[in-house]
Amino acid sequence: MIVKNVTWLLAIASFSKECHGFSRNYGSDAKALTVMNAQNKFRFIDTSSSLKVPFVSAILSFSLVFGGPSLDANAASYASMSDEQRAVAEAWRVVDNTFIDRTFNNLDWFEERQKAVKAKYKSPVEAQDAIEKLMSKLGDKYTRYLPPAKYESLVNSATGTLAGVGCELNTNKDGFVIASDVEANSPASSGGIKPKDVFVEVDGKSFSKGNTPDEVANQLRGPEGSKVGIVIERDGKKLDFILTRAKITVTSVKTYLSDKSGVGKVGVIRIKSFSGTTASTVSDAINDLKKKGAKAFVIDLRNNPGGLLPGGVDTAGLFLDADKPIVFVVSKTGYIDSQKTLAPGIDLDDPLVVYVNGNTASASEVMTAALKENDRATIVGEQTFGKGIIQTIKPLSNDYGGVAVTIAKYETPKHNDINKQGISVDVEVPECDSDDAVSCLPSSSFKAP
């Protein structure tokens, strides 16, 4: 079967980046494609098996298939436009066809098109500025223009044609970009970069308070085998590194066995992002940890920005009985696609804790809400991020980059809309820096369902 007009599903928050060349922003971690059928029902196609990288967000390994450029409806008018005007018209048309807010932020959307298309542009840069301005009027920070360099970086990171050093980037409480995690056996790990190191300079470009993880990530990425100079600050001292960029295979699921007084052996499963393989990896981890004596489990979703939505859905299903609601996806027309479990999961009875924080978002919130509202798990930590919307990315013709557009939202099993609100926890626990998540959790949070 030939699938046309395929778009890329983004179910992640825009607050963290991967410096190994796989971005968690804009859905680099999106490892799925969505196809809208005649009834506007979402069909999810898992593409992660085509690549070796186990992940997206960022973090990905999947084959990309994008829909063709969206041409203006008035063919005659379109043919008479300049290349710059066509790019603006095309961006407008993508939004017009797919944006979930059909009021377009209470704008006269067609009038906006007329003004933007009739303008005379002296260069592609002026047209790009016009597209960015047009998108910004919609009042949705996730619906945005992606200039050619950003769009290309996003596609390259998803397809593995760029390399990096193997660390995850985030912003600390003081507003500086730090290495929030370092991938094992990566250039960063081998070179000596550690979690919480602050990035001061990369390849001659200085960074300070207010810079974003995306800006640092763009400097860290580059051709495989190339060198990158890095200056970090650790404990008040500046340290210099010269690392060789390499292709990075991200370990999105990590597991270990711990002990808790009054509970016994606890299996910990940390999920950094969701992909098409996450559920099967977690399933294997559960069985392995049980063989080692685990009597309870912790799913650590702290700093998990999301990833592939079906990955979060399928992983939640491992702990739920048959016919349990997991998520409702609501399209721009109001069509509701109900997703529920088809068969019993592999662990329905062991005490289960889901550990979250303010950076737990999107697909990871889908899993959290499913386990919370089906009374399967105790949610511990801090209020989650609150991203309950889904984006697609579509390319523009003639190397004008692409646009990311919010196309749908999701609701929890009890039809709660958590966008911009997040999910409240059952047991509040402040941020904990221990390497063992179990040591941060009260014994009372481990309850049988």
Side-chain angles (χ1 to χ4, degrees), residues 66 77 166 212 310:
F66 289 103
S77 173
T212 66

Side-chain angles (χ1 to χ4, degrees), residues 165-222:
V165 299
C167 61
E168 179 181 324
L169 303 182
N170 213 322
T171 305
N172 65 15
K173 62 181 179 180
D174 296 319
F176 294 94
V177 178
I178 64 169
S180 56
D181 196 14
V182 178
E183 191 68 29
N185 302 315
S186 66
S189 174
S190 301
I193 290 180
K194 299 180 180 180
K196 299 183 183 178
D197 282 349
V198 176
F199 284 86
V200 176
E201 184 179 306
V202 179
D203 255 7
K205 183 175 181 178
S206 298
F207 296 99
S208 58
K209 183 176 182 179
N211 283 115
T212 66
D214 181 58
E215 292 172 316
V216 177
N218 286 338
Q219 287 295 110
L220 287 165
R221 300 185 189 116

Side-chain angles (χ1 to χ4, degrees), residues 313-340:
V313 170
D314 293 344
T315 305
L318 296 174
F319 299 95
L320 296 172
D321 208 343
D323 203 34
K324 294 292 184 180
I326 295 180
V327 67
F328 298 94
V329 178
V330 185
S331 75
K332 66 179 182 180
T333 62
Y335 180 89
I336 299 178
D337 177 20
S338 173
Q339 298 188 30
K340 58 177 63 178

Side-chain angles (χ1 to χ4, degrees), residues 222-291:
E224 183 179 10
S226 63
K227 303 287 185 181
V228 56
I230 301 171
V231 179
I232 62 94
E233 184 174 314
R234 180 189 303 160
D235 299 328
K237 298 180 180 180
K238 292 184 179 179
L239 303 174
D240 295 330
F241 298 87
I242 297 179
L243 304 179
T244 301
R245 296 181 178 101
K247 295 281 183 68
I248 307 297
T249 299
V250 179
T251 306
S252 61
V253 178
K254 297 182 179 181
T255 67
Y256 59 91
L257 194 65
S258 184
D259 284 285
K260 190 71 175 179
S261 177
V263 179
K265 291 186 177 181
V266 179
V268 180
I269 303 174
R270 183 190 176 197
I271 305 175
K272 295 173 65 177
S273 181
F274 289 98
S275 74
T277 62
T278 301
S280 62
T281 302
V282 172
S283 177
D284 291 341
I286 292 170
N287 291 327
D288 182 62
L289 290 166
K290 283 188 174 184
K291 291 178 181 179

Side-chain angles (χ1 to χ4, degrees), residues 11-327:
I12 62 174
S14 67
F15 54 80
S16 81
K17 278 285 181 180
E18 297 289 331
C19 62
H20 44 62
F22 300 105
S23 164
R24 287 193 175 181
N25 213 353
Y26 317 128
S28 282
D29 343 80
K31 308 171 185 167
L33 303 174
T34 59
V35 181
M36 301 291 290
N37 65 16
Q39 292 75 38
N40 292 318
K41 184 173 181 180
F42 287 99
R43 175 185 172 200
F44 296 101
I45 304 175
D46 175 14
T47 60
S48 61
S49 62
S50 63
L51 298 178
K52 296 181 179 178
V53 181
F55 194 28
V56 153
S57 188
I59 311 175
L60 319 207
S61 53
F62 59 91
S63 63
L64 282 178
V65 180
F66 289 103
S70 176
L71 300 181
D72 193 83
N74 189 328
S77 173
Y78 189 84
S80 66
M81 295 178 187
S82 67
D83 287 344
E84 290 81 9
Q85 290 171 326
R86 290 180 184 180
V88 174
E90 188 180 346
W92 178 91
R93 176 62 62 184
V94 172
V95 174
D96 186 60
N97 286 339
T98 60
F99 190 44
I100 188 172
D101 177 8
R102 304 316 291 169
T103 73
F104 299 96
N105 199 27
N106 296 313
L107 294 170
D108 184 333
W109 189 235
F110 185 75
E111 177 63 22
E112 293 294 332
R113 175 202 180 278
Q114 295 301 87
K115 291 187 294 185
V117 170
K118 289 181 179 179
K120 303 298 183 183
Y121 303 106
K122 297 179 180 179
S123 68
V125 173
E126 287 190 1
Q128 292 169 23
D129 290 342
I131 297 172
E132 186 170 2
K133 181 179 179 181
L134 182 66
M135 305 288 278
S136 68
K137 292 181 179 181
L138 294 167
D140 175 19
K141 67 180 181 180
Y142 298 106
T143 296
R144 61 204 179 279
Y145 173 57
L146 303 174
K150 184 178 289 292
Y151 177 79
E152 182 179 4
S153 176
L154 180 63
V155 174
N156 286 340
S157 68
T159 56
T161 56
L162 282 184
V165 299
C167 61
E168 179 181 324
L169 303 182
N170 213 322
T171 305
N172 65 15
K173 62 181 179 180
D174 296 319
F176 294 94
V177 178
I178 64 169
S180 56
D181 196 14
V182 178
E183 191 68 29
N185 302 315
S186 66
S189 174
S190 301
I193 290 180
K194 299 180 180 180
K196 299 183 183 178
D197 282 349
V198 176
F199 284 86
V200 176
E201 184 179 306
V202 179
D203 255 7
K205 183 175 181 178
S206 298
F207 296 99
S208 58
K209 183 176 182 179
N211 283 115
T212 66
D214 181 58
E215 292 172 316
V216 177
N218 286 338
Q219 287 295 110
L220 287 165
R221 300 185 189 116
E224 183 179 10
S226 63
K227 303 287 185 181
V228 56
I230 301 171
V231 179
I232 62 94
E233 184 174 314
R234 180 189 303 160
D235 299 328
K237 298 180 180 180
K238 292 184 179 179
L239 303 174
D240 295 330
F241 298 87
I242 297 179
L243 304 179
T244 301
R245 296 181 178 101
K247 295 281 183 68
I248 307 297
T249 299
V250 179
T251 306
S252 61
V253 178
K254 297 182 179 181
T255 67
Y256 59 91
L257 194 65
S258 184
D259 284 285
K260 190 71 175 179
S261 177
V263 179
K265 291 186 177 181
V266 179
V268 180
I269 303 174
R270 183 190 176 197
I271 305 175
K272 295 173 65 177
S273 181
F274 289 98
S275 74
T277 62
T278 301
S280 62
T281 302
V282 172
S283 177
D284 291 341
I286 292 170
N287 291 327
D288 182 62
L289 290 166
K290 283 188 174 184
K291 291 178 181 179
K292 296 177 180 178
K295 302 298 182 183
F297 290 92
V298 172
I299 304 296
D300 189 351
L301 297 180
R302 290 176 297 170
N303 301 315
N304 181 328
L308 175 58
L309 182 57
V313 170
D314 293 344
T315 305
L318 296 174
F319 299 95
L320 296 172
D321 208 343
D323 203 34
K324 294 292 184 180
I326 295 180
V327 67

